[in-house]
Amino acid sequence: MSHRIKYSAPLLDIWNRYHTWCRASGSKIGEDFYHETYVFFKSRPNEIIQMSGETILNLWYADYKRELLHVYLEEKELSDFIKEKMLLKDLQGIKKYISDNGKRQKDLNGNEFIKYDIGVHVPHEKHGCAFSFMLWNPYGNLIVDFVDKDGAGSIPENEYELAKNSKDDDAISAERNFRFAVNLITYMACFPECVRQGVPKVNNSKKYEPSKNSVMLGFSEKLFDSTENNLRGKVRPHLRKGYFKYLSSDFYTNKKGSLIWVKETEVNAESKTVEMSTDKEKLSGFSSKNGSRRKKS
């Protein structure tokens, strides 16, 4: 039987390092591995390697403690859509979501911040990615730490627009990871009916044991055009570009505070269709249940 990995595994390299350490030390105590590896990273002469190593290790430790939410994308195309077709308009809605569902912690100076960690599994890929959202107050600066197959990095929201116009490879990678992380969480909050508890049966990796804190994420029908042929299954539905919008104005009497999807369409002239989840019960349940310069290390 083939042991080919069907789904990518986030933090794969550091998990492999941990298992090697377990065999060599005869121990499986993650706290000991964390402290030993932390000292190793801090001993590196390059500050960038130190910082990226610390980012990787902190996300691994959150995963080790089962604090990482694992998100399995049911189709690879969903990853591509979230990365490329979903436009990021503002962060107000996602900040509220992280504030409501994240874990409150304190830094070394006693300052409180909110942390929300996720790992992403993509079909037919080997290396997944992991993100840690850090919010210093409900309206403060959002920072996203990320780990992917190329290493680790960090980008605050006030550098996002600058990174979009940069030609530097590290800035381009940071901008792409920031957009993917924020859009993914926003998608889950906007379409909770697409979130199902569990792990795909085809995931047969022998190197990575997923947490029970795992969900599967599928496409929302609201993202597709609905033509007669599409409904009959003769033509694959066509995905349209759009963006998420947070309704903060008092004008939206019943929907104020909601995240909605605005789908751009064209019918003789440009128009926009507004979609939002009607599954309020699951939206409430999902929110209450889930509450984490570049260099290869």
Side-chain angles (χ1 to χ4, degrees):
M1 179 182 291
S2 173
H3 296 307
R4 181 171 63 90
I5 297 176
K6 299 294 185 179
Y7 268 77
S8 61
L11 306 169
L12 182 59
D13 289 340
I14 189 70
W15 270 109
N16 285 339
R17 184 171 184 156
Y18 165 72
H19 292 309
T20 300
W21 176 88
C22 289
R23 290 191 294 270
S25 66
S27 171
K28 293 185 178 181
I29 302 175
E31 289 77 7
D32 292 345
F33 170 77
Y34 175 89
H35 292 300
E36 184 177 315
T37 309
Y38 181 85
V39 171
F40 169 79
F41 282 135
K42 283 300 183 182
S43 69
R44 300 299 87 190
N46 188 300
E47 185 177 357
I48 296 178
I49 295 179
Q50 293 179 19
M51 294 176 63
S52 58
E54 186 175 354
T55 296
I56 294 170
L57 190 58
N58 285 339
L59 267 163
W60 172 85
Y61 195 45
D63 196 15
Y64 173 81
K65 294 186 295 182
R66 297 297 188 254
E67 294 175 355
L68 201 73
L69 174 66
H70 287 259
V71 181
Y72 288 82
L73 306 185
E74 293 184 350
E75 298 182 57
K76 185 181 184 302
E77 290 78 6
L78 181 56
S79 170
D80 299 334
F81 178 80
I82 292 174
K83 289 177 181 177
E84 305 299 334
K85 284 200 171 186
M86 287 169 47
L87 305 179
L88 187 64
K89 288 292 184 178
D90 63 67
L91 295 172
Q92 190 174 356
I94 194 63
K95 285 183 180 182
K96 183 179 185 304
Y97 180 84
I98 292 173
S99 178
D100 290 343
N101 299 282
K103 182 178 181 181
R104 279 165 172 73
Q105 300 183 6
K106 290 185 178 181
D107 63 15
L108 296 176
N109 297 318
N111 299 313
E112 187 177 85
F113 64 96
I114 304 165
K115 196 166 183 284
Y116 190 87
D117 300 325
I118 62 172
V120 185
H121 303 251
V122 182
H124 311 301
E125 293 187 2
K126 181 178 181 180
H127 289 269
C129 50
F131 303 110
S132 181
F133 297 85
M134 287 172 287
L135 187 63
W136 294 98
N137 64 65
Y139 304 101
N141 196 32
L142 178 66
I143 300 173
V144 177
D145 289 348
F146 58 90
V147 178
D148 61 17
K149 64 183 179 64
D150 297 318
S154 180
I155 177 171
E157 65 171 284
N158 56 7
E159 293 183 12
Y160 172 72
E161 291 297 330
L162 295 176
K164 285 173 63 176
N165 300 318
S166 175
K167 295 183 179 180
D168 177 76
D169 288 341
D170 289 347
I172 292 172
S173 176
E175 182 270 335
R176 182 180 64 247
N177 275 285
F178 185 92
R179 175 164 31 91
F180 182 38
V182 170
N183 281 347
L184 178 65
I185 290 295
T186 309
Y187 181 94
M188 294 172 68
C190 191
F191 302 125
E193 64 271 18
C194 298
V195 181
R196 297 188 291 111
Q197 296 292 327
V199 177
K201 293 181 179 179
V202 295
N203 185 62
N204 63 348
S205 171
K206 300 298 182 182
K207 295 183 178 181
Y208 187 85
E209 294 296 330
S211 166
K212 292 182 179 179
N213 186 24
S214 303
V215 298
M216 297 173 62
L217 184 65
F219 269 115
S220 170
E221 294 181 359
K222 298 179 177 67
L223 302 177
F224 295 92
D225 279 348
S226 297
T227 65
E228 183 178 359
N229 283 338
N230 288 340
L231 292 174
R232 292 180 179 177
K234 294 182 179 179
V235 178
R236 179 176 175 82
H238 179 67
L239 288 161
R240 287 285 193 183
K241 284 187 177 181
Y243 59 89
F244 288 114
K245 180 178 178 62
Y246 178 72
L247 303 181
S248 58
S249 172
D250 291 336
F251 175 80
Y252 305 102
T253 306
N254 297 323
K255 296 182 180 180
K256 182 180 179 181
S258 301
L259 276 166
I260 63 169
W261 169 253
V262 182
K263 183 173 64 174
E264 297 184 355
T265 60
E266 292 185 6
V267 182
N268 297 326
E270 184 176 306
S271 62
K272 297 180 179 179
T273 304
V274 177
E275 301 279 5
M276 69 174 296
S277 174
T278 57
D279 194 343
K280 295 182 180 179
E281 181 178 349
K282 185 162 186 179
L283 177 59
S284 176
F286 176 72
S287 297
S288 63
K289 288 179 181 177
N290 295 299
S292 88
R293 90 100 114 102
R294 161 201 288 271
K295 203 153 192 170
K296 184 82 171 178
S297 300

